Amino acid sequence: MFIRRIRTLSPSLRFLSANTQSFSNRPKPTTTTTMPSYIVTCKDDATPEQIEAAKQHAKDQGGTIGHEYTLIKGFSVSFPEDSVQTLSSHEHVKDVEVDQEMRTQ
């Protein structure tokens, strides 16, 4: 087996291998707090200042900005479960969608 060969070649690799195995045996956390994430698309004619205003509006509503997109005028934002989102009514926002996995055939 490939791992056995490495173990016989180097004591330091044997140490690393043993430590890596101990990490894999640790229990995974059972409670995860996931906040719903949304993709916010700003209007096509929105200026950088208007995009910043939309992001600030999201932050003011309790959101956390995740990613700022460069190909589209937009960003991702996560909100706590019980938060009220008013992003779609913001004057510089074109669309708000749930961030979800997309598949193609």
Side-chain angles (χ1 to χ4, degrees):
M1 195 175 213
F2 182 72
I3 294 175
R4 288 184 186 165
R5 289 182 194 160
I6 291 175
R7 287 183 182 169
T8 59
L9 292 177
S10 171
S12 62
L13 288 178
R14 188 177 322 127
F15 170 77
L16 290 173
S17 176
N19 284 339
T20 304
Q21 289 174 358
S22 68
F23 286 122
S24 65
N25 293 333
R26 290 185 180 174
K28 294 184 174 43
T30 56
T31 58
T32 56
T33 53
T34 57
M35 298 191 311
S37 183
Y38 301 91
I39 304 296
V40 179
T41 307
C42 293
K43 293 181 179 178
D44 295 331
D45 60 348
T47 65
E49 293 81 19
Q50 292 171 334
I51 296 170
E52 284 299 318
K55 289 194 296 190
Q56 187 59 48
H57 179 70
K59 291 177 191 176
D60 293 343
Q61 298 298 315
T64 304
I65 305 298
H67 184 76
E68 298 176 34
Y69 299 106
T70 55
L71 294 176
I72 62 169
K73 292 183 179 185
F75 55 94
S76 68
V77 61
S78 299
F79 284 98
E81 287 283 344
D82 60 347
S83 178
V84 176
Q85 300 94 21
T86 59
L87 285 173
S88 59
S89 63
H90 192 271
E91 62 183 329
H92 305 301
V93 172
K94 177 180 176 181
D95 191 28
V96 178
E97 306 176 42
V98 175
D99 188 5
Q100 59 188 353
E101 184 177 321
M102 301 295 288
R103 296 180 185 207
T104 59
Q105 297 266 340

